């Protein structure tokens, strides 16, 4: 897992005078203004804005992929997180996320983790207190990974990009805040459902979904420079590396994406080859 600091739908009224609708459209427009090289800043802006919209305390965004050959009795049906981002990576929360990740290959899988990946709906939102039985909230998982890290409630949103890749979003509130409502869930669903293009760009910037192999951290920095339109010499200067090193990374990036030049790579970014 790559862990970087930073797991029903109805629409709000389409009335153009609805402030919530105006906020959603403004968010979509703002995300479209970020350059290719500012993908991390764009994601932080998205998570920050979503938290503000529903008065959430923190947010987690994850890319979840299906393993090509899961074990026959895999409780998670082959689904595992490939990339995880926390908006506010306070140590206790980050440690909780890592601990939960570490249990995903064991027999100690929690019901909440199973429900998060179960079902084949292309898009889904869920309120925590509607998705899980009352006895779950008396158990160890809720105590350790919610109450002890300052969380009490969450909304999850899941969007399938294809049969093997999904985006998962969780937003959290603490015990002092009221529980999330159906209106909060509907609003998040409306925002997230309109951002498939954004998820695809996020995945491309990490070498996921399209690349034949994951990008190294160095390759990802070079890729973001290429997508921003910089020449190899400019990228080398910005990253303080030799032109030969940059060229080596560029060739490796092209090979992983199955393209021969910058224009073909740009076409992937624009969605023309898929």
């Amino acid at each position: 897992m790559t862990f970087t600091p930073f797991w029903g739908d109805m629409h709000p009224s389409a009335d153009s005078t609805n402030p919530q609708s105006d906020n959603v459209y403004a968010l979509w427009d703002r995300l479209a203004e970020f350059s290719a090289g500012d993908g991390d800043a764009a994601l932080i802006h998205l998570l920050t804005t979503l938290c503000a919209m529903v008065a959430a305390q923190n947010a987690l965004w994850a890319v979840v992929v299906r393993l090509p050959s899961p074990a026959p009795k895999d409780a998670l049906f082959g689904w595992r997180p490939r990339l995880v981002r926390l908006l506010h990576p306070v140590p206790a929360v980050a440690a909780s996320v890592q601990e939960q990740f570490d249990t995903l290959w064991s027999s100690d899988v929690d019901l909440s983790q199973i429900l998060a990946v179960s079902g084949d709906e292309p898009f889904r939102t869920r309120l925590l207190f509607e998705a899980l039985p009352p006895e779950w909230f008396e158990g160890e998982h809720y105590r350790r990974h919610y109450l002890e890290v300052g969380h009490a409630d969450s909304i999850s949103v899941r969007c399938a990009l294809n049969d093997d890749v999904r985006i998962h979003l969780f937003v959290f509130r603490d015990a002092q805040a009221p529980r999330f409502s159906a209106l909060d869930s509907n609003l998040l669903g409306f925002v997230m459902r309109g951002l498939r293009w954004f998820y695809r760009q996020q995945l491309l910037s990490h070498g996921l979904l399209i690349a034949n192999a994951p990008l190294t951290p160095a390759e990802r920095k070079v890729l973001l420079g290429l997508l921003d339109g910089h020449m190899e010499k400019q990228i080398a200067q910005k990253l303080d590396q030799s032109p030969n090193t940059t060229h080596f990374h560029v060739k490796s990036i092209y090979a992983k994406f199955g393209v021969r030049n910058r224009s073909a790579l740009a076409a992937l970014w624009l969605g023309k080859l898929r």
Side-chain angles (χ1 to χ4, degrees):
M1 175 182 67
T2 301
F3 182 79
T4 309
F6 26 53
W7 177 80
D9 54 86
M10 295 172 58
H11 295 173
S13 171
D15 182 352
S16 62
T17 63
N18 184 341
Q20 286 286 35
S21 294
D22 289 344
N23 291 338
V24 173
Y25 302 146
L27 171 59
W28 289 344
D29 289 343
R30 180 67 186 97
L31 291 176
E33 293 171 357
F34 282 93
S35 72
D38 288 331
D40 291 339
L43 181 58
I44 290 173
H45 181 76
L46 170 64
L47 298 182
T48 300
T49 304
L50 292 176
C51 283
M53 283 181 171
V54 297
Q57 173 188 15
N58 206 345
L60 182 149
W61 185 91
V63 178
V64 181
V65 302
R66 196 198 304 263
L67 301 176
S69 300
K73 295 183 179 180
D74 183 5
L76 300 176
F77 316 103
W79 292 102
R80 296 295 188 281
R82 178 63 182 83
L83 176 70
V84 176
R85 298 291 303 273
L86 268 170
L87 177 59
H88 302 302
V90 294
V93 178
S96 168
V97 171
Q98 185 63 57
E99 182 181 335
Q100 291 180 75
F101 174 81
D102 291 341
T103 67
L104 297 181
W105 278 266
S106 72
S107 58
D108 188 24
V109 179
D110 186 71
L111 174 62
S112 63
Q113 297 169 321
I114 296 172
L115 291 180
V117 299
S118 64
D120 295 321
E121 307 97 319
F123 188 89
R124 185 178 77 192
T125 66
R126 277 183 171 173
L127 294 166
L128 181 70
F129 280 86
E130 291 184 358
L132 288 154
E135 58 269 22
W136 183 85
F137 296 92
E138 303 297 326
E140 181 180 6
H141 190 92
Y142 182 65
R143 177 182 59 81
R144 288 175 59 84
H145 300 297
Y146 275 81
L147 299 180
E148 290 186 359
V149 300
H151 296 159
D153 194 12
S154 68
I155 303 174
S156 64
V157 183
R158 192 179 80 189
C159 179
L161 298 184
N162 59 35
D163 290 342
D164 299 304
V165 181
R166 295 170 173 173
I167 298 297
H168 286 209
L169 169 78
F170 291 81
V171 296
F172 303 94
R173 280 182 180 171
D174 61 28
Q176 285 68 49
R179 289 184 185 176
F180 287 114
S181 68
L183 289 177
D184 296 322
S185 179
N186 295 340
L187 177 59
L188 282 184
F190 180 50
V191 176
M192 295 289 286
R193 196 161 203 160
L195 288 174
R196 288 177 61 87
W197 63 270
F198 177 79
Y199 311 144
R200 189 176 180 283
Q201 289 188 350
Q202 284 287 320
L203 267 62
L204 175 57
S205 74
H206 284 275
L208 300 171
L209 184 60
I210 297 174
N212 295 323
L215 300 182
T216 67
E219 289 170 348
R220 182 167 184 262
K221 292 177 181 178
V222 172
L223 170 66
L224 294 178
L226 291 171
L227 293 174
D228 246 352
H230 299 311
M231 303 305 294
E232 288 187 25
K233 184 177 180 181
Q234 295 173 301
I235 296 172
Q237 291 175 342
K238 182 178 180 180
L239 299 180
D240 193 25
Q241 59 187 207
S242 72
N244 286 339
T245 297
T246 301
H247 185 65
F248 174 82
H249 289 319
V250 169
K251 290 178 64 178
S252 178
I253 290 167
Y254 289 166
K256 287 183 177 181
F257 281 101
V259 299
R260 295 185 177 182
N261 51 46
R262 181 193 295 261
S263 61
L265 184 67
L268 282 177
W269 177 259
L270 295 173
K272 294 179 179 177
L273 297 186
R274 291 184 66 83

